[in-house]
Amino acid sequence: MSQQLPRTNEFPPLSLYVHIPWCVQKCPYCDFNSHNLKGGLPESEYISHLLDDLSADLPLVSVNGKLREVSTIFIGGGTPSLLSVAGMQKLIEGIAARIPLSTNAEITMEANPGTVEAEKFIGFEKAGINRISVGVQSFDEQHLKALGRIHDSAQASSAIELAKQLPLRSFNLDLMHGLPNQSLEDAMLDLKKAIALGPPHLSWYQLTIEPNTSFYSKPPTLPDDDILWEIQEQGHQLLSEAGYEQYEISAYAKKGHQCQHNLNYWRFGDYLGIGCGAHGKISAIADATSVAHENKLKILRTVKVKHPKGYMDLTRKYMDKVIQVESDDLAFEFFMNRFRVMEACPKDEFVKTTGRELTKTELSSLEKAEAMHLISSTELEWQLTENGKRYLNSLLDLFL
């Protein structure tokens, strides 16, 4: 069935990611672009660069002379809560002065639960933050030490209690499982403590060993696959019984508290990325010469200069790379994101967000996925199955 291609003035929702690259201490499992803070934080200088970086990106999101509106902002890192309250206010006000924000924009900041940073939560909320994501990771002192975290269990609980008292739209508790030498009982005790604190959103994800990390160089002993499966099965049951709905592979939320910024990622929405090593994904009108699959849109991936010294070097541009996604890669990229969320995927979303129809080969891959019980299908939607959730990589391999 032929689907109507989008008009040239129709684009997915637009988000903004802001990267703060410094941490007090880099965790041994972390493969994000973060750097140990040596000396003072160059806060004022870096914020000025962030705002100049945003200004330089504005032509990417200008349509007929009018800037697209930002619906969500996510300030990640690193440790954004190292910023002062005044610095955070300068950043948010500077963003709002350069690009339109929706009246109901979700503005999230990642935070560590250390005492000094938690004390600033009140000020961050007044500066415009309406959602805080607290990186607890574990409530077990030994596991916190193994993960290189600089807070303890009591500080983690105190930070969550403080977040509960603020007039935030929502907040998130970030928790890991599958930790070095973690038993099933340990993992469930951690999860029970997290649930007892009553966060409206809980990110619960498995530790994986990534290249270019300390854990990769000196791998710790992790739970075996059978224990990991039991942790996920029993944890899912605990969360469901506590009123949390799994809406994304590693995220659970009470009704109305899903992270809108992350949902925009997984729905193949657009986002600008500013700051050291930040990535972006932007839809634009395809060039008149582009005829492959009758594309009406082109998808651009952007990458900023990675190291803080290079990023703040005034003799060079902030943009390191701009890459146009090949038409043949669009199906993999779309489904790699879209099948992370548990909600059904409307079939017309593919055309709306990629600007082209599915090819016969891609339709055949979807039929294979349905035959393998990885997805189910109706006339209007695709739906990830429990089997598809478990074997997501096998599902995505069908589009390679």
Side-chain angles (χ1 to χ4, degrees):
M1 181 177 67
S2 178
Q3 296 168 325
Q4 185 178 0
L5 292 167
R7 295 190 299 272
T8 56
N9 64 339
E10 290 180 338
F11 293 95
L14 177 66
S15 294
L16 172 66
Y17 174 75
V18 183
H19 191 71
I20 310 297
W22 293 283
C23 290
V24 173
Q25 175 179 297
K26 190 173 178 71
C27 299
Y29 60 85
C30 178
D31 69 333
F32 295 136
N33 182 31
S34 60
H35 305 265
N36 288 340
L37 186 60
K38 298 174 183 178
L41 182 73
E43 177 178 280
S44 180
E45 179 186 5
Y46 188 67
I47 291 172
S48 293
H49 281 286
L50 286 172
L51 296 175
D52 288 345
D53 187 1
L54 176 59
S55 295
D57 272 0
L58 295 181
L60 293 171
V61 291
S62 178
V63 182
N64 298 323
K66 184 177 181 181
L67 291 173
R68 294 168 59 187
E69 184 179 81
V70 169
S71 58
T72 69
I73 299 173
F74 195 100
I75 305 169
T79 309
S81 51
L82 289 174
L83 292 182
S84 68
V85 170
M88 186 65 70
Q89 185 167 349
K90 177 184 175 183
L91 174 62
I92 294 173
E93 289 178 350
I95 291 170
R98 285 162 175 78
I99 192 167
L101 302 184
S102 70
T103 55
N104 198 34
E106 175 192 85
I107 305 177
T108 301
M109 178 193 74
E110 288 184 329
N112 273 355
T115 304
V116 174
E117 290 147 71
E119 286 176 351
K120 296 188 287 188
F121 283 9
I122 296 171
F124 288 141
E125 188 275 329
K126 290 181 179 178
I129 299 295
N130 55 33
R131 187 177 182 276
I132 292 177
S133 181
V134 186
V136 172
Q137 314 310 357
S138 177
F139 292 95
D140 182 283
E141 304 298 349
Q142 292 302 313
H143 288 142
L144 286 170
K145 185 176 180 180
L147 292 173
R149 306 300 288 176
I150 59 174
H151 65 270
D152 59 28
S153 178
Q155 289 174 328
S157 297
S158 295
I160 296 299
E161 291 294 348
L162 177 55
K164 286 168 67 174
Q165 296 169 23
L166 296 175
L168 296 166
R169 175 184 304 183
S170 190
F171 69 91
N172 171 58
L173 189 158
D174 215 0
L175 193 72
M176 300 173 74
H177 65 272
L179 306 181
N181 300 305
Q182 187 180 48
S183 67
L184 171 62
E185 292 73 21
D186 290 339
M188 291 305 99
L189 183 59
D190 248 359
L191 189 55
K192 287 175 183 177
K193 288 182 178 179
I195 291 171
L197 288 167
H201 187 287
L202 210 159
S203 296
W204 189 57
Y205 58 98
Q206 182 181 323
L207 170 65
T208 55
I209 306 300
E210 302 290 351
N212 303 314
T213 64
S214 295
F215 274 176
Y216 188 79
S217 302
K218 298 178 180 179
T221 302
L222 300 181
D224 63 36
D225 288 344
D226 288 340
I227 293 176
L228 290 173
W229 181 247
E230 281 296 317
I231 289 173
Q232 291 175 17
E233 287 284 284
Q234 292 193 27
H236 179 78
Q237 183 175 347
L238 268 178
L239 286 159
S240 299
E241 290 172 351
Y244 292 90
E245 179 184 1
Q246 184 182 22
Y247 73 96
E248 187 255 314
I249 289 293
S250 302
Y252 292 77
K254 297 289 181 71
K255 187 175 181 180
H257 287 277
Q258 295 92 339
C259 176
Q260 297 304 310
H261 185 88
N262 284 348
L263 275 176
N264 193 40
Y265 285 159
W266 309 139
R267 290 169 177 163
F268 213 51
D270 284 349
Y271 52 97
L272 290 170
I274 61 172
C276 301
H279 288 238
K281 177 253 173 185
I282 298 296
S283 303
I285 303 302
D287 302 327
T289 55
S290 176
V291 294
H293 302 296
E294 296 184 341
N295 287 41
K296 303 300 182 184
L297 297 175
K298 59 181 177 182
I299 308 298
L300 304 176
R301 295 284 186 186
T302 64
V303 184
K304 300 301 172 63
V305 173
K306 187 173 183 179
H307 198 278
K309 286 185 179 179
Y311 180 82
M312 293 191 286
D313 179 356
L314 291 173
T315 65
R316 64 183 296 178
K317 295 180 179 179
Y318 301 112
M319 188 72 76
D320 187 37
K321 298 175 186 175
V322 179
I323 303 163
Q324 183 172 339
V325 178
E326 296 291 336
S327 183
D328 289 344
D329 296 331
L330 285 172
F332 175 77
E333 291 224 7
F334 176 84
F335 290 115
M336 176 180 64
N337 286 279
R338 201 56 183 76
F339 283 146
R340 280 189 64 98
V341 287
M342 304 297 104
E343 66 184 12
C345 172
K347 291 183 176 180
D348 62 358
E349 270 192 17
F350 182 82
V351 179
K352 288 178 179 178
T353 56
T354 67
R356 73 162 174 85
E357 303 276 1
L358 287 160
T359 65
K360 290 182 180 179
T361 300
E362 291 157 359
L363 288 169
S364 176
S365 296
L366 287 162
E367 290 172 359
K368 288 178 184 176
E370 190 172 2
M372 295 166 67
H373 305 291
L374 300 173
I375 63 171
S376 59
S377 176
T378 67
E379 183 181 355
L380 298 177
E381 296 177 330
W382 297 293
Q383 175 69 64
L384 189 70
T385 64
E386 287 297 317
N387 210 36
K389 192 193 322 181
R390 184 174 182 181
Y391 299 107
L392 184 59
N393 288 338
S394 297
L395 169 57
L396 297 177
D397 284 347
L398 295 173
F399 298 96
L400 289 174

